[in-house]
């Protein structure tokens, strides 16, 4: 069990692991004193992160807390994010180093050196300008995993415009809501993409959303399907390739941005029915993502890195685009399903590209586990140095499988906890120095302070589960626009903060427990949000789609892992009994697919006479989650209708 390369850990020998010694010798962060130093020198310690970037103007102050909790980082400093991700690498003699290696669904390969990236980003930046985009304008990007997506993101950053990436799997309604909220000036999309061999329309969906917008906006269309598929361009619609050709060789100096200027918007799901707009600021965000890309992923120029996350979510922003490119690494981008054309694909990607660092979700690892160890075993994985997961808890069994059958017991695993709002990783082990406890994410990173608290915001002793809060600000935190401050305050800052004592606690919405060594285990969400894999959906948004179906009176959507994978389960009450249930079930699934997107299709829809409720009429999601996960809650839960729990368990069993 305990291998040569692992020392046993006193007190917890059965589970805790020291990093393999082979790794510790290679890593860039081997200095354990970083924790004490960051503590002692906080907040000035964060100058270490800023020092990884190139600044046009130095900042005057690391942290300005005058307007807490709307903290401002690196005030007075100026920089450009695209310049930090591209130009400075050219100046450092890395023109010919590969920045992006793309592997398309049909076996296509494209390679961009940092110089190629520079040329195309600049051309697209010039084209966007031509379409009228100026600094602080918002450009919505609705693209699958094609190189044009990071390129357009960086083109926006180059001219100081904000990108608003909308996951390509979203339905037109979801795209529309996100475009409207942002007052988008341009949309960039594609004709379609291939799903397991067949062409799926994307522009069709984009056009449906565009038609519902109040004013028309210029649209740029990437040709993903190729010459066999005709695409009609309407008025004010432009082919990406024609624009890129036209502006080939253009000069567009990077626009110098204040550190506190917004870099992008991204929408996530909160406890309200509407998608919530998050804003990340240029300096703090880039410092946070770059610092963690180095400290947690140990990435330096010359390393090859593969992250399976879609760029439509924050993981793709921070750890596909900004962090790895700011570090000058080579990023592997893979389009499409990991099982297409067959189950060897993930291991072929690792072998062919000599991937050093591999970042994915526990759900993906569970899928690999189901397929069996013969698949990774059939490929050379000797390039791998470090593995990481994000998005949901990784159980000890999945961890062990990943460690043994993928990492060959040579590669540490970093289980990284963070959120759209946090911008970068806040909780994780440092791979070269910390012992790993499978199932626990690890301690807060240097400079980060986290707690499990009771409903009054009081810190709980080790071993007692509570709400996870972050008690010191951090550089890559959301910095809401003026107009978003009100709800941001209510949603994240007012829940547990004692303002008289001026101790601001950021409410993460997660439940967690801290152990005697300060290692944190995430239990799940503590609010009305579900995470499916690493996709986060507001139950309110889902339930609005479900109750809009004729005949449905009430609904609750929960995430559960009844079959090992995390899936969405719907509990609903209906007007009539029994007759027409099958049809209603289908209408509910269709409504979710139409309004949210196919990726959110429920694994099951269960009809119940009532939903479990608190005395104040709030749906008790935890009861439903307990039923789905086959871990019923003890009867201490204060329910208005406790008798429904037994009935639901029976109904669930029949499903
Ligand atoms: C929520 C944030 C940040 C990238 C992915 C999703 C859950 C995230 C972990 C982890 C257990 C995790 C939390 C969090 N989560 N990482 N390592 N272990 N749970 O970003 O969509 O903003 O979702 O994902 O519940 O609050 P997001």
């Amino acid at each position: 069990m305990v291998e040569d390369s692992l020392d046993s850990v006193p007190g917890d020998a059965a589970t805790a692991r020291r990093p393999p010694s082979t790794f510790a010798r290679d890593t860039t962060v081997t200095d354990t004193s970083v924790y004490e130093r960051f503590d002692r020198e906080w907040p000035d310690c964060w100058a270490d992160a800023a020092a990884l970037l190139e600044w046009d103007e130095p900042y005057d102050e690391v942290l300005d807390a005058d307007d807490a909790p709307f903290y401002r980082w690196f005030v007075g400093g100026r920089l450009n994010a695209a310049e930090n991700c591209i130009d400075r690498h050219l100046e450092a003699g890395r023109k010919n180093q590969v920045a992006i290696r793309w592997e398309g669904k049909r076996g296509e390969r494209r390679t961009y050196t940092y110089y190629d990236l520079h040329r195309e980003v600049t051309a697209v930046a010039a084209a966007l300008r031509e379409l009228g985009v100026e600094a602080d304008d918002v450009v919505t990007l609705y693209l699958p995993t094609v190189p044009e997506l990071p390129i357009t993101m960086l083109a926006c950053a180059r001219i100081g415009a904000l990108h608003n990436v909308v996951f390509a799997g979203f339905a037109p309604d979801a795209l529309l809501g996100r475009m409207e909220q942002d007052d988008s000036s341009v949309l960039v999309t594609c004709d379609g993409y291939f799903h397991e061999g067949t062409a799926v329309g994307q522009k069709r969906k984009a056009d449906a959303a565009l038609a519902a917008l109040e004013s028309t906006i210029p649209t740029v269309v990437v040709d993903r399907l190729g010459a066999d598929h005709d695409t009609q361009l309407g008025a004010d619609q432009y082919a990406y390739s024609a624009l890129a050709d036209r502006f080939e060789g253009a000069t567009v100096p990077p626009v110098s941005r204040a550190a506190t200027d917004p870099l992008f918007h991204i929408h996530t799901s909160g406890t309200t029915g509407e998608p919530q707009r998050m804003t990340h600021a240029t300096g703090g965000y880039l410092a946070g993502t770059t610092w963690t890309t180095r400290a947690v992923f140990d990435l330096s120029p010359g390393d090859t890195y593969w992250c399976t996350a879609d760029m439509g979510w924050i993981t793709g922003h921070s750890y596909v685009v900004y962090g790895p490119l700011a570090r000058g690494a080579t990023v592997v981008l893979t389009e499409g399903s990991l099982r297409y054309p067959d189950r060897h694909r993930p291991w072929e990607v690792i072998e062919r590209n000599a991937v050093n660092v591999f970042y994915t979700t526990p759900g993906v690892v569970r899928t690999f586990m189901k397929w069996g160890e013969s698949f990774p075993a059939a490929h050379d994985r000797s390039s791998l140095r470090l593995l990481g997961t994000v998005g949901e808890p990784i159980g000890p069994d999945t961890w062990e499988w990943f460690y043994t059958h993928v990492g060959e017991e040579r590669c540490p695993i970093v289980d990284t906890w963070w959120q759209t709002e946090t911008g970068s990783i806040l909780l994780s082990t440092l791979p070269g120095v910390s012992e790993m406890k499978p199932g626990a994410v690890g301690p807060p990173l240097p400079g980060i302070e986290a707690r499990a608290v009771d409903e009054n915001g009081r810190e709980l002793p080790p071993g007692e589960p509570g709400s996870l809060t972050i008690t010191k600000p951090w550089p890559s935190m959301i910095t809401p626009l003026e107009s978003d401050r009100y709800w941001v305050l209510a949603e994240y800052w007012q829940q547990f903060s004692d303002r008289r004592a001026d101790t601001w606690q950021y409410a993460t919405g997660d439940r967690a427990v801290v152990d005697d060594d300060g290692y944190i285990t995430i239990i799940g969400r503590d609010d009305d949000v579900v995470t499916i894999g690493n996709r986060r959906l507001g139950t309110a948004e889902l339930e609005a789609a479900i109750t809009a179906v004729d005949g449905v009176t009430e609904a609750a959507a929960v995430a559960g892992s009844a079959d090992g994978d995390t899936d969405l389960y719907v509990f609903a009450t209906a007007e009539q009994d029994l007759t027409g249930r099958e049809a209603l079930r289908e209408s509910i699934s269709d409504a979710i697919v139409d309004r949210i997107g196919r990726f959110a299709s429920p694994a099951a829809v269960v009809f119940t006479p009532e939903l479990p409720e608190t005395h104040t009429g709030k749906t008790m999601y935890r009861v439903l989650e307990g039923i789905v996960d086959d871990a019923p809650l003890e009867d201490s839960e204060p329910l208005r209708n406790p008798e429904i729990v037994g009935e639901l368990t029976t109904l669930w069993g029949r499903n």
Side-chain angles (χ1 to χ4, degrees), residues 245-541:
D245 285 350
R246 191 170 137 210
F247 292 97
E248 167 79 44
T251 311
V252 180
V255 171
S256 191
R257 302 280 283 167
T260 51
D261 280 343
L263 177 62
F264 64 84
H265 288 322
I266 185 167
H267 290 81
T268 189
S269 301
T271 51
T272 68
E274 293 291 302
Q276 292 175 335
R277 173 176 58 199
M278 303 291 154
T279 308
H280 279 291
T282 311
Y285 174 81
L286 202 62
T289 50
T290 308
W291 192 84
T292 47
T293 300
R294 180 174 179 275
V296 179
F297 295 130
D298 191 37
L299 279 193
S300 294
D303 283 328
T304 298
Y305 163 86
W306 182 33
C307 167
T308 57
D310 191 281
M311 283 171 281
W313 315 109
I314 192 70
T315 312
H317 286 57
S318 303
Y319 298 115
V320 175
V321 182
Y322 288 107
L325 294 178
R327 290 295 297 147
T330 299
V331 176
V332 176
L333 286 184
T334 51
E335 184 192 36
S337 153
L338 295 176
R339 71 189 84 214
Y340 188 83
D342 61 32
R343 296 172 174 186
H344 287 284
R345 186 177 185 209
W347 316 109
E348 280 167 0
V349 168
I350 288 171
E351 183 170 24
R352 183 158 54 228
N353 296 289
V355 169
N356 305 123
V357 179
F358 177 44
Y359 191 33
T360 189
T361 66
V364 167
V365 181
R366 283 195 300 270
T367 302
F368 293 161
M369 246 171 109
K370 261 187 251 162
W371 294 350
E373 59 201 65
S374 64
F375 291 95
H379 300 272
D380 181 3
R381 282 158 292 130
S382 59
S383 60
L384 286 176
R385 199 174 74 226
L386 173 64
L387 305 172
T389 62
V390 63
E392 57 179 320
I394 178 167
D397 293 350
T398 311
W399 194 100
E400 290 294 345
W401 191 90
F402 200 29
Y403 189 72
T404 310
H405 298 294
V406 177
E408 305 174 320
E409 297 173 341
R410 295 179 291 105
C411 309
I413 296 178
V414 283
D415 176 0
T416 64
W417 179 95
W418 58 294
Q419 308 179 298
T420 308
E421 296 85 340
T422 69
S424 65
I425 299 165
L426 297 191
L427 314 177
S428 166
T429 50
L430 288 177
V433 300
S434 321
E435 64 190 37
M436 303 169 281
K437 297 190 186 185
V441 289
L445 286 177
I448 306 296
E449 200 176 82
R451 288 186 191 155
V453 302
D454 66 14
E455 53 295 346
N456 298 312
R458 277 189 298 255
E459 184 166 15
L460 291 162
E464 275 191 41
S467 302
L468 178 69
T469 65
I470 310 294
T471 46
K472 272 181 185 170
W474 63 98
S476 61
M477 63 203 307
I478 39 164
T479 46
L481 302 182
E482 206 68 44
S483 54
D484 290 335
R485 284 187 168 198
Y486 182 78
W487 67 260
V488 165
L489 198 64
E491 176 116 5
Y492 301 105
W493 295 102
Q494 281 171 337
Q495 237 169 308
F496 301 112
S497 300
D498 173 3
R499 268 167 302 152
R500 273 170 317 168
D502 204 22
T503 48
W504 286 104
Q505 297 197 55
Y506 166 85
T508 64
D510 279 5
R511 277 182 80 66
V513 58
V514 186
D515 76 7
D516 288 323
D517 301 326
Y519 275 54
I520 296 171
T521 297
I522 306 295
I523 301 164
R525 290 294 298 190
D526 202 18
D527 62 8
D528 306 342
V529 168
V530 291
T531 50
I532 314 287
N534 62 351
R535 286 153 198 192
R536 190 163 124 191
L537 296 165
T539 51
E541 195 179 357

